[in-house]
Amino acid sequence: MTTHFSFLVGRRRDALVAMTALGLAVQPVSSQAQAGPPPSGAPAGPLPTGGIPLPPGATGGPPPGVPLGPVLTPAQKLVADLPPPGPGALPPRPPLPADSVMPSSDPRDLQGTWVNNLPLQFRSQNDMYGAPAPYTMEGAKIIARRVKSLKDGKPFTNASAICRPPGPQWQRDLNFPFLIVQAKDHIEFLFEEYHGRWIISLDPQGTSLPSQKQYMGRSTGHWDGGTLIVETSDFKQAIWLDVDGTPLSTKGRLIQRIRKVGVDGQVPFLEVVTTIIDPTYYTGPWSIVRTFGWVPHQAVFAEYNCEEQVGDPSVPVDGGLVPEPLD
């Protein structure tokens, strides 16, 4: 039997630059996404570091005498000096069948099956525009400790590795399909891996929210035009946002902006922009973006056996994991 560990899966994609703040659609880069040319009105100039389009005629370099790159805080420098995250990869997937049902044309109908459509990203240490994450020194020490534990061959125990829900950000990122179903007062994301569930209440007064704290937190949402805005907080325990352990404390919040994006008549994809708010580990809010391809032919989930990771008598107990020190 081949043992697999979600925290070691090398399939996280590089950060995709979403031009949400500029009013431009994100264009995924995969056969699954079936992307077309840049959106109408997008600047055609070169791309500087971070991927933000420049006006026509701009060179992309800084003016003479301007230092290259941002001035890092001591915390950001600590993170920048870590060994680089592992390269992501995208597992092969069959093309979308010609007779596949398409997503609803209603921007507020997200229902259907989706999957991460770009290589997974091991560590989210830059925001969606390429700027370094605004770590506090406490947050920088947490991620540095986790990266070192992995490098030393003694990775820390985390929720994903012991079959517990890892929180909505990591749960969505994993290269397993998820199904969205929705009703008038709530939306559910159902995941193949862990048989996970992420419940979003659209009517907190009418839809009962968990009375106790959950690993996936408590999520309430509302529509802003065609974008679903979801706030998630009250986590049962501090969570990892990715494989390497980008941290979120129990007091942290995630603001997720979820929408379907269509590019020049191609198959729409799902865009999720997540803003991380956590004064314990970050000096200010920062945002990352992920996109997900439409895969209706994967709506019937394969059986997922999380016990291949932990508890199966044919694999080492805990797979060599060690408890993380408590701060």
Side-chain angles (χ1 to χ4, degrees), residues 42-327:
L47 297 180
T49 300
I52 303 176
L54 296 172
T59 64
V66 175
L68 292 175
V71 177
L72 302 180
T73 67
Q76 290 173 320
K77 188 174 188 308
L78 176 60
V79 176
D81 288 342
L82 294 174
L90 187 68
R93 295 196 181 101
L96 195 65
D99 60 350
S100 289
V101 62
M102 291 292 105
S104 168
S105 60
D106 181 354
R108 294 193 177 191
D109 185 350
L110 306 178
Q111 295 183 104
T113 308
W114 310 84
V115 71
N116 200 342
N117 66 354
L118 290 173
L120 296 174
Q121 186 176 353
F122 270 75
R123 191 186 316 152
S124 302
Q125 65 186 50
N126 296 313
D127 71 10
M128 58 192 283
Y129 299 110
Y135 276 100
T136 64
M137 184 55 72
E138 183 177 358
K141 288 180 179 179
I142 291 287
I143 185 63
R145 182 174 68 193
R146 291 173 177 174
V147 171
K148 183 178 185 301
S149 77
L150 189 59
K151 181 175 181 293
D152 291 344
K154 296 180 179 180
F156 292 136
T157 303
N158 59 71
S160 173
I162 57 175
C163 304
R164 292 177 182 170
Q169 181 66 29
W170 192 352
Q171 179 81 81
R172 289 191 303 264
D173 270 7
L174 295 166
N175 260 322
F176 290 80
F178 59 84
L179 174 68
I180 300 177
V181 296
Q182 60 189 95
K184 182 178 180 180
D185 60 355
H186 73 283
I187 296 176
E188 289 191 47
F189 283 54
L190 306 175
F191 300 89
E192 178 176 310
E193 187 163 31
Y194 312 116
H195 309 295
R197 295 176 68 193
W198 181 38
I199 302 173
I200 303 165
S201 173
L202 302 179
D203 179 12
Q205 302 301 318
T207 304
S208 60
L209 290 168
S211 59
Q212 297 180 339
K213 292 191 175 185
Q214 307 286 308
Y215 291 108
M216 297 289 278
R218 292 162 54 95
S219 296
T220 58
H222 67 275
W223 289 98
D224 180 8
T227 299
L228 177 65
I229 302 176
V230 182
E231 179 170 349
T232 305
S233 59
D234 292 331
F235 294 97
K236 184 174 182 177
Q237 65 181 32
I239 63 174
W240 293 27
L241 297 176
D242 49 36
V243 173
D244 281 357
T246 300
L248 188 78
S249 75
T250 55
K251 297 180 180 179
R253 292 184 293 141
L254 302 176
I255 308 295
Q256 294 126 128
R257 299 179 63 88
I258 306 171
R259 64 172 183 155
K260 287 187 296 188
V261 179
V263 180
D264 293 333
Q266 301 296 327
V267 179
F269 59 93
L270 197 68
E271 174 195 87
V272 181
V273 176
T274 301
T275 299
I276 300 153
I277 305 172
D278 187 357
T280 302
Y281 294 146
Y282 307 100
T283 60
W286 59 293
S287 300
I288 54 180
V289 63
R290 304 286 189 262
T291 61
F292 304 87
W294 173 249
V295 286
H297 52 298
Q298 292 187 303
V300 178
F301 292 165
E303 184 177 68
Y304 181 75
N305 179 16
C306 194
E307 287 68 31
E308 289 184 358
Q309 295 178 188
V310 177
D312 190 300
S314 64
V315 300
V317 176
D318 289 339
L321 302 172
V322 298
E324 184 170 12
L326 297 177
D327 294 322

